[in-house]
Amino acid sequence: MSDSTILGGGDQPGRDRRRFPGISSRAYEHPADRSALVALRKLSGFDTVFKALSGLLPERSLRLLYLSDSVRVSDRQFAHLNDMLRDACYILDLEKVPAMYVTQNPQPNAMCIGLDGPIIVVTTGLVELLDEEEMRAVIGHEVGHALSGHAVYRTVLLFLTDFALKVAWIPLGNVAVMALVTALREWFRKSELSADRAGLLVGQDLQASMRGLMKLAGGHHLHEMNVDAFLEQADEYEEAGDLRDSVLKIMNVLPRSHPFTTVRAAELRKWAAGRDHQRIMDGHYPLRADDRNTSVSDSFRESAAHYADTVRSSRDPLMAFVRDIAGGAGDLGGRLRDRFTGSGARGGSAPAGDGTGPDGGSARGGGTGPGDGGADGGGRTDGGGAGPGPVNGSGAPGDGPPNRG
């Protein structure tokens, strides 16, 4: 079979795209996402137990809801989306094409949920916002979720999290629950980075992927935006400020199921320029048939190595401080003070003194206030939703509206 895609109804795509027969989701998964999924897949009977729990979940109700109150994508309804969906499944070699619905909602969003079979839902706000190539990347993103099994694992784990919250009244139960929720959200955020990569493999147009993320952040005024300037925001976000800003960044991202949009764009650009992406495009990638032989310990080592590399290469002040500690730096109290006040080794600044001279302690005036960055940029936060609609792509209804998943 040729590398170019073949769409339903004999239509040909606007340009040739490479196909990846038998590709394993491990090829594009973020290391932290991959290690968790490999461990879950190794548990004997895990999927069977998950699906047995489906009767306790509102999945059947959701399927009926979308069937009764949304438009199912087919060759007769939203035919162009149907072509993109079949195209994405063909490129990633997903045998069973998921059901897809368009639901009326001005909030641009998409999600993939389901235990017995994945369901993809996109909102009218998203359909109206994105052009064809941008939408292709979004649909590829959702098909990537389906291929990785995120729809199954995330749906049930969110149910288990909700169940754990109900018993949080047990002594120390709240601490354990918050640790679980925090860990799950970290995994969810990494799974979004995985799906962004799948979207790029399907669309094979990095600029379209970037434009789509940029529109999610700034709306449809594309003529007023610039991809390079948008990516510069990600660089500034990573390296700006002092240790206080680093702590605020952590606090801002903890309740979110999705990484910030500029961060997603920067992560995707980095992966697209890397060796792993190029090897996939050259036809060298792990195969689905070998998933059962994947080593859990190797996957965890790759994940640990990724986080270690992140600490080493990050320009964030907190990560720099962690490197100082790991390197056995002396005078930790002084370094901590400098990081918090922003008087550490910034470009052009003098070394911190002992505070006894006439300028001693003057560095305390340079940092941003503790209230800076407390908002989520436009007031969009995850969580808090209560309705059954597709609101954040995390695989759970009503989990908050900001981003596609």
Side-chain angles (χ1 to χ4, degrees):
M1 193 172 288
S2 67
D3 288 337
S4 61
T5 60
I6 303 175
L7 302 182
D11 297 330
Q12 295 296 322
R15 58 183 174 82
D16 288 345
R17 293 180 177 83
R18 185 169 186 86
R19 184 176 182 247
F20 309 104
I23 188 172
S24 168
S25 60
R26 292 180 288 118
Y28 60 80
E29 285 164 352
H30 185 280
D33 178 29
R34 182 167 58 243
S35 63
L37 291 173
V38 167
L40 290 174
R41 291 164 185 153
K42 284 288 184 178
L43 295 179
S44 179
F46 192 63
D47 287 349
T48 302
V49 173
F50 265 16
K51 292 180 179 180
L53 291 171
S54 62
L56 302 175
L57 299 173
E59 180 186 6
R60 187 178 298 273
S61 174
L62 284 175
R63 288 180 183 274
L64 290 172
L65 175 65
Y66 291 125
L67 186 62
S68 63
D69 204 35
S70 300
V71 176
R72 183 164 56 191
V73 172
S74 67
D75 57 357
R76 295 185 296 166
Q77 300 186 117
F78 289 100
H80 71 292
L81 296 182
N82 187 56
D83 284 345
M84 291 183 198
L85 176 61
R86 293 169 62 86
D87 187 21
C89 292
Y90 180 81
I91 289 175
L92 294 181
D93 201 15
L94 185 64
E95 293 183 3
K96 186 176 180 180
V97 179
M100 183 174 176
Y101 293 89
V102 176
T103 189
Q104 172 63 33
N105 189 329
Q107 179 73 37
N109 203 2
M111 70 173 182
C112 182
I113 60 170
L115 292 174
D116 294 331
I119 303 174
I120 296 174
V121 181
V122 296
T123 65
T124 53
L126 188 68
V127 174
E128 294 165 1
L129 177 66
L130 303 182
D131 67 24
E132 180 178 347
E133 293 304 310
E134 295 158 6
M135 194 69 197
R136 190 183 302 277
V138 170
I139 293 176
H141 176 112
E142 301 306 327
V143 171
H145 276 314
L147 181 58
S148 288
H150 291 151
V152 173
Y153 299 126
R154 297 173 82 181
T155 300
V156 175
L157 284 176
L158 282 167
F159 163 74
L160 295 177
T161 301
D162 181 65
F163 176 77
L165 289 172
K166 294 178 181 178
V167 297
W169 56 271
I170 299 174
L172 298 180
N174 189 52
V175 175
V177 166
M178 289 310 300
L180 173 62
V181 170
T182 299
L184 286 176
R185 284 175 175 161
E186 171 65 8
W187 174 36
F188 289 175
R189 289 190 290 270
K190 295 302 184 286
S191 73
E192 289 304 314
L193 300 180
S194 299
D196 284 342
R197 297 173 179 183
L200 178 60
L201 292 178
V202 168
Q204 299 176 24
D205 184 343
L206 180 60
Q207 288 300 309
S209 294
M210 292 295 165
R211 291 197 311 269
L213 289 170
M214 191 167 61
K215 283 184 176 180
L216 286 176
H220 67 278
H221 303 285
L222 187 61
H223 63 286
E224 297 285 355
M225 296 183 283
N226 180 277
V227 171
D228 292 334
F230 186 66
L231 290 170
E232 288 171 6
Q233 290 179 224
D235 296 335
E236 183 178 347
Y237 173 79
E238 180 182 0
E239 62 190 33
D242 50 39
L243 193 58
R244 291 171 298 181
D245 297 291
S246 298
V247 173
L248 287 173
K249 292 178 196 175
I250 295 173
M251 298 304 294
N252 285 342
V253 79
L254 279 179
R256 296 177 59 91
S257 64
H258 289 60
F260 292 116
T261 316
T262 57
V263 174
R264 291 172 65 180
E267 286 286 338
L268 186 59
R269 174 188 59 177
K270 180 179 178 181
W271 185 74
R275 182 170 175 267
D276 290 343
H277 176 252
Q278 187 57 54
R279 282 182 57 81
I280 295 174
M281 296 307 297
D282 290 341
H284 305 292
Y285 48 80
L287 297 175
R288 211 171 303 159
D290 299 328
D291 282 351
R292 291 184 178 274
N293 302 322
T294 305
S295 168
V296 177
S297 59
D298 287 347
S299 297
F300 277 108
R301 277 195 293 269
E302 290 177 11
S303 178
H306 167 79
Y307 279 108
D309 182 66
T310 298
V311 172
R312 285 193 298 269
S313 61
S314 175
R315 291 166 290 178
D316 184 90
L318 179 59
M319 294 299 100
F321 183 64
V322 170
R323 289 196 299 269
D324 287 347
I325 295 177
D331 189 20
L332 293 184
R335 289 180 178 271
L336 181 61
R337 179 199 64 215
D338 291 344
R339 296 290 182 189
F340 262 107
T341 59
S343 65
R346 292 191 181 184
S349 63
D354 59 6
T356 59
D359 293 328
S362 61
R364 293 188 179 273
T368 59
D372 292 346
D376 181 62
R380 300 177 298 171
T381 58
D382 280 354
V391 289
N392 81 347
S394 65
D399 189 38
N403 291 308
R404 62 177 172 87

